[in-house]
């Protein structure tokens, strides 16, 4: 029966493989029944664990440890980046099952989840959860390398390294040599885990060569997932040409070394680990030669999924050039992928925005960071002046629009790109030539040839009636032979776009709107201060009486750090206050909260993740409050359809409690006794510092509609919160009179 | 008084922002009890001091300490922004001060044709005084934005009027020369109907804790600097007159204003506890 079920399970997974359409790729989402790790509340997990005996730790340390791991790990699980039941998690689970095929009991204790992040990492927890990032999986060459990393993490769990490290820290943190000793202790644990992982891989039947090669993955994981030469002709077409001179003359060396200084690192350097593993490998004989055991096809599919997620992560994080390089690699296999081209459009639009806002350094590597083949692209984009980058962005987005004329997201990116350019004073259409670079260059070359062949007198005769100023104007006109400038290759790059009727219509639309907005701005600044305040006040009245509320959060700090248990309890106050205030004002609230996932299930979990991703995108890439083009438009539209609203609110309350007593102040007040009572009352009454922040986002437009942070010296108590939330809802619910 | 009241009501209709307030309510009416332990007065008015403090115990003057001064205040304030407001307080404060210690009367010496000014020592029961203060004030918050609740700093300058509470105070007179008794017991020691005006500068640190949508509990500490204007010699010694005509009072109001002024100056700190209503 067990074998039948196993076969059925594998068959189902094979069916899943056939369904991944990389041309219309959809980001990983959680699937299946929601695991207890996600649905059980943290306070419950903590209570259950406290009831059991942890003999490795003292009672006091046990409480601290359990609080730290449960709240810490639950924050990862609910970060918005973690998924379960997805193809990647399922495949990783299968590989782990193979590693532990002789230890079913251990396998049953473990759970495997995926984190959608470009940080190449895997880690295990004391609870038996193993996280693997898509960034790491995208770097592997084969299943054996993944297996070794999983085996390493499983070893940390079986050897209880997490609790041992915590215990060691508690005992030694006041030691004068703490940092050095901690580094040594931590490295010893890594060596131990490597040795046990070698044994597990040997039992599982993987290749010893690939186990050894896993360390190359770790060493070079900071580079893109492949090292393919970026051709200097990549952007060239019949309409666009970037001369070779704009590309770097030499390659950029990859500087990673195996034997780097690991004195202050928690992990040994690669050389030490390789040496240790080499010895461990030699302790076992009869190594099998398998690079793939579970499924080669599934490995490559899982890796491709991870690479597609890598592109998405880079776009979300504003690392647009990294995204473009990754797309370049993936395009070879998926040239017609709508997803990749859409991400490319996002990346170019993002680069253009960054260039306008002087933020390009956030997206391109600094000179010292340039390594490997991807550095060519970083170099090129870094070297582009404003006009070059704007033009290239427009060119790329236009071409993608032509390739996918029905795609609404791409159409929106195209529209936004034009809007951004038209409203920027550096971009002027009259600066551009109606000829392509080839035509203009050929005309120029032909003229140069004729200058060489003909007499000087003949040339002068043709031009003798022109004035000095006419000659200057000719040289400035990009459509004339005299005006040809090979260094300004970009002005010849959009000749076909300029005559596109759709483009012209969009330009006109945005130009008109720009003039209207400019006039409105001038009128605004002509108003008196009082009138402006009135206008601002009316602008803040949004008339929003329905919204989705995502998980109100409280973070409570003391002098020792975050008090997770108190934070959890105070969240109940905040949730109740929001409920109360919304009813008072008449605002309808639709809740998405991790505390109700046990009832709401995987669908709610995915919605929550989608909204957190949008929030993260806005925070990371929209520092000028211009709005973003949401990545997950389909998922957002599903949310909008379900609730009938597009407005989403996030609220965070941060509270710090610490009486404001200082030794100097207290001593001073002893000498000024009349002020001592004031000092003491003030010290304790002002002990609370509370910040309440809310952000209201329009998920359809990708903009922050309203946001504010309010500061007050009051505790996180019922009536304070109710009043604050009442003010917020009242403000956004009001309509201008 | 009425003028100030109207001004505040009018201003309350022209709020600068619609976001200030507790559930949108920006007006606060407060009733507070005030209390102080007169440590400074007790320090200076011990039994061996120049001006000891006496209480009336069974008709006898007994050295004692002043244990408690207190009163109440009724106030109104309006929050204009998240952290600034205006208001006013009416304060009625009861305290006790040591009685006068030196009396002066004039004695007409017929043989010599002039008034002889004679001072007598008094042991007088402590005077109960009541001060009424009208205090316009500003309210503000530092590092906080939730007026009218939360931590509220108040600062005000007001006008006060103090009066000795009328009652039968007991006292004894020590004459320098008992043979020259002139029936001083028939004289009144001081003018009990006189009022003594002054200025009060106040700083208060209050914590207003909401307990419902419109009710707050407030508590805090209040510092006042009270200055009493000097009196006029309205009923003191009239030089050149005979003892039969002059000197309605042993103590003139200059001396009384000094006594009251010292007491008011010593009333620096008080604690307050009360309720506020929001609307």
């Amino acid at each position: 029966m067990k074998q039948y079920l196993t076969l059925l399970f594998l068959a189902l997974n094979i069916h899943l493989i056939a369904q991944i359409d990389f041309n219309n790729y959809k980001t990983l989402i959680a699937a299946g029944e929601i695991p207890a790790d996600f649905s059980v509340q943290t306070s419950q997990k903590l209570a259950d664990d406290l009831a059991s005996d942890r003999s490795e730790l003292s009672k006091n340390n046990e409480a601290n440890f359990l609080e730290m791991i449960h709240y810490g790990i639950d924050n990862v699980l609910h970060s918005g980046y973690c998924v379960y039941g997805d193809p990647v998690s399922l495949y990783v689970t299968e590989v782990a099952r193979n590693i532990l095929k002789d230890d079913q009991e251990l396998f049953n204790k473990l759970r495997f989840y995926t984190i959608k992040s470009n940080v190449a990492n895997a880690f295990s927890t004391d609870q038996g959860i193993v996280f693997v990032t898509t960034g790491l999986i995208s770097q592997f060459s084969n299943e054996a390398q993944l297996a070794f990393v999983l085996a390493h993490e499983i070893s940390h769990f079986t050897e209880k390294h997490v609790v041992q490290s915590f215990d060691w820290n508690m005992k030694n943190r006041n030691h004068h040599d703490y940092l050095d000793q901690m580094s040594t202790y931590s490295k010893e644990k890594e060596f131990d885990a490597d040795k046990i992982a070698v044994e597990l891989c040997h039992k599982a039947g993987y290749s010893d060569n690939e186990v050894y090669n896993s360390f190359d993955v770790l060493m070079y994981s900071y580079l893109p997932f492949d090292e393919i030469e970026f051709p200097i002709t990549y952007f060239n077409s019949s309409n666009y040409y970037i001369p070779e001179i704009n590309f770097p003359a030499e390659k950029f060396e990859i500087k990673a070394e195996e034997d780097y200084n690991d004195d202050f690192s928690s992990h040994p350097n690669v050389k030490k680990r390789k040496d240790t593993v080499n010895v461990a490998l030699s302790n076992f004989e009869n190594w099998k030669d398998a690079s793939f055991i579970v499924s080669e096809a599934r490995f490559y599919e899982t890796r491709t999924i991870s690479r597609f997620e890598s592109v998405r992560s880079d776009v979300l994080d504003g690392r647009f050039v990294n995204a473009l390089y990754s797309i370049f690699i993936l395009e070879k296999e998926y040239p017609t992928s709508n997803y990749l081209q859409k991400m490319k459009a996002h990346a170019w639009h993002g680069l253009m925005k960054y260039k306008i806002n002087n933020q390009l350094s956030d997206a391109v590597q600094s000179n010292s960071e340039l390594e490997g083949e991807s550095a060519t692209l970083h170099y090129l984009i870094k070297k582009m002046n404003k006009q070059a980058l704007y033009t290239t962005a427009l060119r790329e987005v236009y071409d993608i629009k032509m390739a996918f004329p029905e795609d609404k997201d791409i159409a929106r990116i195209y529209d936004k790109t034009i809007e951004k350019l038209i409203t920027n004073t550096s971009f002027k259409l009259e600066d551009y030539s109606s000829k392509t670079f080839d035509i203009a260059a050929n005309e120029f070359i032909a003229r140069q040839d004729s200058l060489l062949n003909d007499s000087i007198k003949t040339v002068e005769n043709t031009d003798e009636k022109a004035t000095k100023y006419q000659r200057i104007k000719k040289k400035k006109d990009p459509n004339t032979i005299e005006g040809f400038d090979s260094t300004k290759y970009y002005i010849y790059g959009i000749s076909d776009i300029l005559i596109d009727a759709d483009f012209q219509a969009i330009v006109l639309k945005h130009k008109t709107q720009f003039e209207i907005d400019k006039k409105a701005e001038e009128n605004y600044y002509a108003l008196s201060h009082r009138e402006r305040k009135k206008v601002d006040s009316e602008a803040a009245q949004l008339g929003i009486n329905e919204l989705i509320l995502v998980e109100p959060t409280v973070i409570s700090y003391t002098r020792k750090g975050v008090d997770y248990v108190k934070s959890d309890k105070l969240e109940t106050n905040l949730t109740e206050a929001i409920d109360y205030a919304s009813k008072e004002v008449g605002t309808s609230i639709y809740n998405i909260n991790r505390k109700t996932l046990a009832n709401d299930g995987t669908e709610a979990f995915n919605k929550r993740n989608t909204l957190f991703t949008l929030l993260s995108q806005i925070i990371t890439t929209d520092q000028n409050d211009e709005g973003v083009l949401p990545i997950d438009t389909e998922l957002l539209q599903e949310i909008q359809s379900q609730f009938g609203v597009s407005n989403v609110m996030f609220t965070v309350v941060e509270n710090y409690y610490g009486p404001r007593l200082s030794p100097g102040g207290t001593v001073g007040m002893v000498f000024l006794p009349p002020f001592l009572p004031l000092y003491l009352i003030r010290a304790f009454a002002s002990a609370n510092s509370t910040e309440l922040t809310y952000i209201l986002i329009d998920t359809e437009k990708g903009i922050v509609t309203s946001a504010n942070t309010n500061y007050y010296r009051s505790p996180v108590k019922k009536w304070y919160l109710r009043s604050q939330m009442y003010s917020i809802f009242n403000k956004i619910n009001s309509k201008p009179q | 008084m009425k003028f100030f009241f109207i001004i505040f009501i009018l201003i309350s209709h022209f709020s600068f922002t619609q976001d200030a307030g507790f559930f949108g309510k920006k007006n606060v009416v407060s009733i507070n009890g005030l209390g102080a332990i007169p440590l400074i007065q007790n320090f200076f008015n011990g039994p061996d001091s120049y001006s000891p403090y006496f209480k009336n115990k069974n008709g006898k003057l007994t050295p004692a300490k002043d244990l408690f001064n207190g009163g109440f205040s009724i106030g109104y304030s309006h929050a204009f922004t998240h952290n600034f407001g205006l208001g006013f307080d009416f304060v009625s404060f009861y305290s006790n001060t040591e009685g006068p210690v030196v009396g002066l009367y004039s004695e007409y010496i017929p043989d010599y044709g002039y008034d002889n000014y004679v001072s007598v020592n008094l042991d007088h029961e402590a005077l109960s005084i009541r001060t009424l203060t009208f205090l316009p004030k500003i309210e503000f918050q530092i590092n906080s934005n939730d007026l009218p609740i939360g931590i509220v700093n108040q600062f005000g300058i007001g006008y006060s009027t103090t009066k000795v509470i009328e009652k039968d105070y007991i006292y004894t007179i020590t004459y320098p020369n008992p043979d020259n008794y002139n029936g001083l017991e028939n004289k009144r020691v001081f003018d009990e109907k006189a009022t003594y005006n002054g200025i009060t500068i106040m700083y208060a640190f209050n914590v207003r804790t909401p307990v419902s949508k419109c009710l707050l509990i407030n508590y805090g500490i209040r510092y006042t600097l009270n200055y009493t204007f000097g009196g006029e010699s309205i009923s003191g010694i009239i030089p050149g007159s005979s003892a039969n005509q002059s000197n309605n009072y042993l103590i003139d109001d200059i001396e009384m204003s000094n006594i009251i002024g010292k007491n008011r100056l010593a009333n620096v700190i008080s604690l307050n506890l009360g309720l506020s209503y929001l609307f």
Side-chain angles (χ1 to χ4, degrees):
Chain A
M1 180 64 171
K2 199 171 170 183
Q3 281 175 337
Y4 172 77
L5 284 170
T6 307
L7 281 170
L8 179 65
F9 182 79
L10 284 172
L12 280 170
N13 279 307
I14 290 166
H15 177 63
L16 276 171
I17 293 167
Q19 287 184 332
I20 307 290
D21 174 8
F22 288 107
N23 283 330
N24 295 291
Y25 179 73
K26 304 275 186 278
T27 186
L28 287 177
I29 57 173
E33 198 178 316
I34 187 164
D37 286 325
F38 293 84
S39 61
V40 173
Q41 294 202 35
T42 317
S43 54
Q44 186 61 50
K45 291 179 195 174
L46 180 61
D48 291 343
D49 234 350
L50 281 169
S52 64
D53 181 38
R54 297 294 299 251
S55 54
E56 315 96 327
L57 293 165
S58 66
K59 264 295 166 208
N60 194 38
N61 282 344
E62 182 185 337
N64 289 338
F65 173 73
L66 291 174
E67 195 180 304
M68 184 188 77
I69 60 162
H70 281 300
Y71 282 99
I73 294 305
D74 275 17
N75 282 341
V76 175
L77 292 170
H78 295 286
S79 61
Y81 296 102
C82 188
V83 287
Y84 57 84
D86 58 288
V88 174
S89 300
L90 292 174
Y91 173 68
V92 167
T93 306
E94 286 311 300
V95 174
R97 190 195 302 275
N98 179 58
I99 294 167
L100 298 175
K101 59 187 178 226
D102 295 330
D103 194 345
Q104 190 64 34
E105 190 186 339
L106 172 57
F107 176 75
N108 290 340
K109 289 181 187 173
L110 299 169
R111 288 86 72 202
F112 299 87
Y113 303 127
T114 307
I115 296 178
K116 298 195 287 184
S117 165
N118 274 350
V119 174
N121 200 5
F123 58 99
S124 62
T125 74
D126 185 75
Q127 303 96 312
I129 300 173
V130 178
F131 293 99
V132 186
T133 65
T134 49
L136 181 60
I137 295 177
S138 67
Q139 298 278 346
F140 289 132
S141 304
N142 52 57
E143 185 185 296
Q145 292 172 354
L146 169 62
F148 176 73
V149 168
L150 286 178
H152 175 98
E153 296 307 326
I154 291 168
S155 309
H156 279 314
F157 170 74
T158 55
E159 300 305 302
K160 298 187 191 298
H161 285 167
V162 175
V163 65
Q164 286 175 2
S165 296
F166 178 85
D167 189 49
W168 186 92
N169 265 306
M170 288 292 113
K171 287 173 182 162
N172 295 282
R173 61 188 166 175
N174 295 319
H175 198 276
H176 69 277
D177 221 9
Y178 167 68
L179 282 173
D180 271 347
Q181 290 195 7
M182 185 196 73
S183 179
T184 307
Y185 182 81
S186 173
K187 289 189 188 68
E188 282 169 7
K189 296 296 171 201
E190 294 302 318
F191 285 136
D192 289 345
D194 281 343
K195 288 173 198 166
I196 298 169
V198 164
E199 185 179 349
L200 287 171
C201 285
H202 176 259
K203 279 185 190 167
Y206 287 104
S207 157
D208 52 342
N209 282 335
E210 292 308 326
V211 166
Y212 186 81
N213 291 340
S214 301
F215 294 100
D216 290 336
V217 172
L218 299 176
M219 193 164 91
Y220 296 112
S221 62
Y222 69 98
L223 295 169
F225 45 73
D226 212 336
E227 269 293 294
I228 297 177
E229 183 181 348
F230 189 85
I232 61 174
T233 55
Y234 179 79
F235 295 104
N236 296 350
S237 66
S238 56
N239 291 312
Y240 203 54
Y241 173 71
I242 299 181
E244 188 178 331
I245 198 167
N246 293 283
F247 291 84
E250 291 171 355
K251 295 291 182 190
F252 293 94
E253 185 194 354
I254 293 174
K255 300 170 192 166
E257 287 177 6
E258 286 188 355
D259 198 12
Y260 56 83
N261 184 351
D262 62 2
D263 284 350
F264 301 108
S265 172
S266 60
H267 284 55
N269 66 31
V270 169
K271 181 170 188 321
K272 287 177 189 168
R273 291 181 79 176
K274 273 184 167 176
D275 291 344
T276 306
V277 159
N278 233 352
V279 170
L281 289 169
S282 63
N283 290 337
F284 297 94
E285 290 176 350
N286 303 321
W287 279 90
K288 304 267 172 40
D289 201 26
S291 297
F292 303 93
I293 295 179
V294 171
S295 165
E296 185 173 350
R298 278 185 76 188
F299 168 79
Y300 285 116
E301 183 192 67
T302 303
R303 190 178 72 172
T304 304
I305 291 171
S306 300
R307 290 180 172 186
F308 271 59
E309 289 296 334
S310 166
V311 170
R312 181 176 176 278
S313 295
D314 276 333
V315 171
L316 283 171
D317 293 342
R319 291 189 298 266
F320 300 121
V321 181
N322 287 354
L324 289 174
Y325 184 76
S326 299
I327 292 168
F328 151 70
I329 297 171
L330 293 167
E331 265 177 345
K332 291 180 178 309
E333 198 176 339
Y334 303 98
T336 58
S337 169
N338 171 278
Y339 173 85
L340 289 178
Q341 296 308 309
K342 197 181 302 188
M343 288 296 133
K344 192 194 284 190
H346 272 296
W348 276 109
H349 176 81
L351 279 172
M352 182 196 70
K353 256 180 69 174
Y354 272 21
K355 189 73 173 176
I356 289 171
N357 297 330
N358 295 316
Q359 276 177 263
L360 196 65
S361 55
D362 291 345
V364 294
Q365 289 171 346
S366 62
N367 288 339
S368 59
E369 290 171 327
L370 294 174
E371 289 185 39
E373 295 297 340
S374 65
T376 302
L377 190 54
H378 283 274
Y379 178 96
L380 169 72
I381 290 172
K382 222 169 136 172
K383 200 175 166 186
M384 284 183 181
N385 62 26
K386 283 188 175 175
Q387 204 174 358
L389 198 146
Y390 300 162
T391 314
T392 310
L394 177 60
R395 177 82 255 165
E396 289 288 305
V397 173
Y398 178 84
D399 288 343
I400 293 167
K401 168 94 171 48
M402 291 298 113
F404 299 93
E406 303 303 319
D407 191 301
K408 288 181 185 165
D409 288 338
I410 292 172
R412 195 170 157 202
I413 298 170
Y414 178 60
D415 184 272
K416 283 286 176 191
T417 301
I418 296 170
E419 180 190 351
K420 202 80 193 124
L421 289 174
I422 293 301
T423 56
N424 184 275
T425 52
S426 302
F427 182 81
K428 291 173 193 151
L429 291 174
E430 51 271 25
D431 290 342
Y432 288 87
S433 173
S434 56
K435 303 172 188 173
T436 65
F437 186 92
D438 278 347
I439 294 170
N442 287 336
E443 284 178 1
F444 180 80
I445 291 166
R447 184 170 185 274
Q448 293 299 96
D449 289 342
S450 75
L451 280 175
L452 283 171
N453 295 331
D454 293 354
S455 68
I456 293 170
K457 211 175 175 181
T458 311
V459 169
E460 277 183 350
N461 281 342
T462 60
D463 216 15
E464 65 186 12
K465 287 183 183 169
T467 67
K468 161 187 162 184
Y469 307 101
Q470 284 170 333
R471 290 195 190 102
I472 290 171
K473 279 181 184 166
K474 260 191 172 177
K475 282 185 179 160
K476 281 181 169 287
D477 184 348
N479 289 304
T480 61
I481 296 171
E482 292 85 348
F484 176 74
D485 186 346
S486 64
T487 62
K488 293 185 182 174
Y489 57 89
Y490 38 88
I491 64 174
Y492 306 99
I494 56 169
S495 55
D496 59 322
I497 299 176
L498 291 173
I499 58 174
D500 184 310
D502 182 52
F503 172 78
Q504 289 171 354
I506 296 174
V507 165
L508 182 63
K509 176 183 87 173
H510 288 302
K511 263 190 177 164
T512 309
Q513 188 59 45
F514 179 64
E515 291 305 318
I516 293 170
D517 291 342
K518 205 170 152 189
K519 188 78 190 146
E521 195 179 343
E522 282 169 11
N523 291 342
Y524 174 80
Y525 283 110
L527 294 172
S528 68
H529 179 69
R530 198 182 180 91
E531 284 167 333
R532 263 189 257 159
K533 277 186 87 86
K534 193 179 173 207
V535 168
D536 290 344
S537 181
E538 283 176 1
Q541 294 166 316
L542 304 169
I544 294 173
N545 57 9
E546 275 185 307
L547 51 88
I548 299 166
L549 181 74
V550 179
E551 198 150 307
T553 303
V554 175
I555 308 170
S556 179
Y557 300 92
T558 63
R559 286 211 165 102
K560 292 181 187 173
V562 178
D563 186 337
Y564 291 107
V565 174
K566 189 178 172 189
S567 301
D568 211 357
K569 286 180 184 160
L570 291 176
E571 274 175 16
T572 311
N573 288 2
L574 179 57
T575 306
E576 185 277 336
I578 290 173
D579 196 45
Y580 179 94
S582 64
K583 286 181 178 136
E584 284 287 314
V585 174
T587 300
S588 299
I589 300 272
Y590 306 106
N591 282 295
I592 293 181
N593 194 322
R594 78 190 217 194
K595 294 189 174 175
T596 57
L597 286 176
N599 290 330
D600 300 337
T602 296
E603 203 183 308
F605 177 81
N606 284 329
K607 287 185 169 53
R608 191 182 164 282
N609 274 7
T610 302
L611 293 172
F612 269 110
T613 300
L614 176 61
L615 177 66
S616 173
Q617 186 185 0
I618 288 172
I619 289 171
T620 309
T621 64
D622 188 30
Q623 282 152 27
N624 285 24
D625 296 332
E626 295 162 335
V628 300
L629 291 163
I631 297 286
D632 300 321
T633 45
E634 271 188 46
L635 294 172
L636 288 168
Q637 277 161 11
E638 279 175 26
I639 296 171
Q640 288 156 19
S641 303
Q642 183 188 342
F643 295 107
V645 294
S646 62
N647 293 299
V648 177
M649 178 184 272
F650 297 86
T651 48
V652 175
V653 171
E654 289 181 84
N655 171 260
Y656 173 77
Y657 180 80
R660 298 168 73 199
L661 291 165
S662 66
T666 310
V667 168
M669 288 303 120
V670 170
F671 291 103
L672 294 168
F675 295 103
L676 185 59
L678 173 64
Y679 176 72
L680 291 172
I681 291 175
R682 211 188 168 88
F684 286 94
S686 310
N688 280 288
S689 292
T690 305
E691 279 183 28
L692 190 156
T693 302
Y694 81 91
I695 299 176
L696 184 67
I697 296 174
D698 185 326
T699 56
E700 205 174 332
K701 295 176 189 168
I703 57 170
V704 174
T705 321
S706 177
N708 194 36
T709 298
N710 209 16
Y711 303 90
Y712 49 105
R713 287 213 166 268
S714 304
V716 184
K717 287 209 166 149
K718 190 167 73 170
W719 283 106
Y720 292 101
L721 292 172
R722 283 179 177 182
S723 169
Q724 291 289 334
M725 291 313 304
Y726 176 91
S727 291
I728 291 167
F729 285 130
N730 197 38
K731 182 176 166 187
I732 62 178
N733 198 341
S734 310
K735 288 180 192 169
Q737 291 174 359
Chain B
M1 192 75 70
K2 192 176 170 183
F3 171 73
F4 286 117
F5 192 74
I6 290 169
I7 285 291
F8 279 112
I9 293 295
L10 281 175
I11 288 172
S12 70
H13 287 291
F14 294 99
S15 295
F16 300 145
T17 171
Q18 66 181 127
D19 293 328
F22 181 72
F23 283 92
K25 297 172 189 168
K26 296 172 208 166
N27 299 295
V28 181
V29 168
S30 304
I31 298 176
N32 287 301
L34 305 169
I37 297 173
L39 296 171
I40 297 173
Q41 295 89 312
N42 286 335
F43 180 78
F44 286 108
N45 299 124
D48 299 325
S49 69
Y50 172 71
S51 53
Y53 187 89
F54 292 107
K55 272 192 174 169
N56 181 351
K57 266 192 176 167
N58 301 320
K60 285 190 180 164
L61 287 172
T62 311
K65 286 189 186 299
D66 184 14
L67 295 175
F68 181 77
N69 295 333
F72 67 89
S73 71
I74 298 172
Y76 164 82
S77 62
H78 176 85
F80 286 96
T81 69
H82 291 292
N83 51 17
F84 176 80
L86 294 173
F88 56 84
D89 280 341
F90 286 112
V91 182
S92 177
F93 196 78
Y94 295 84
S95 59
N96 302 295
T97 182
E98 76 281 10
V101 293
V102 175
L104 200 64
Y105 76 98
S106 70
E107 181 182 50
Y108 182 68
I109 311 292
D111 297 337
Y112 293 95
Y114 60 86
D115 287 318
N116 183 31
Y117 298 102
V118 181
S119 67
V120 295
N121 292 328
L122 289 156
D123 284 340
H124 196 289
E125 183 186 349
L127 303 173
S128 297
I129 63 175
R130 183 196 66 204
T131 304
L132 295 176
T133 307
F134 172 72
L135 192 85
K137 61 183 179 181
I138 61 169
E139 296 189 338
F140 58 95
Q141 291 184 322
I142 302 169
N143 296 326
S144 195
N145 291 288
D146 53 353
L147 203 66
I149 66 169
I151 293 171
V152 181
N153 297 281
Q154 296 172 330
F155 178 78
I157 300 176
Y159 185 80
S160 63
T161 178
T162 305
K163 190 179 176 306
V164 177
I165 294 172
E166 291 182 39
K167 68 177 189 184
D168 290 329
Y169 293 98
I170 62 172
Y171 61 91
T172 58
I173 298 177
T174 306
Y175 297 96
N177 184 356
D179 294 334
N180 290 341
Y181 168 64
N182 267 318
L184 285 176
E185 286 78 7
N186 294 327
K187 281 195 182 300
R188 294 168 70 189
V189 179
F190 57 86
D191 183 0
E192 287 175 356
K193 296 206 183 317
T195 58
Y196 305 91
N197 301 324
I199 288 177
T200 295
I201 300 172
M202 180 274 295
Y203 166 76
F205 180 90
N206 272 309
V207 180
R208 291 185 184 148
T209 303
V211 294
S212 77
K213 212 170 150 185
C214 50
L215 210 59
L216 313 172
I217 291 176
N218 17 279
Y219 62 90
I221 188 167
R222 181 188 261 254
Y223 288 83
T224 48
L225 190 61
N226 304 296
Y227 174 75
T228 305
F229 300 136
E232 293 173 7
S233 186
I234 53 168
S235 56
I237 296 163
I238 302 171
S241 59
S242 74
N244 293 326
Q245 298 171 7
S246 65
N247 299 1
N248 291 327
Y249 304 103
L250 275 176
I251 312 296
D252 64 18
D253 64 334
I254 292 174
E255 179 62 19
M256 282 305 294
S257 71
N258 284 342
I259 292 168
I260 283 166
K262 268 196 302 187
N263 178 269
R264 295 286 297 127
L265 207 57
N267 271 311
V268 176
I269 308 172
S270 60
L271 301 174
N272 63 273
L273 175 68
L275 289 174
S276 294
Y277 176 77
L278 285 148
F279 61 97

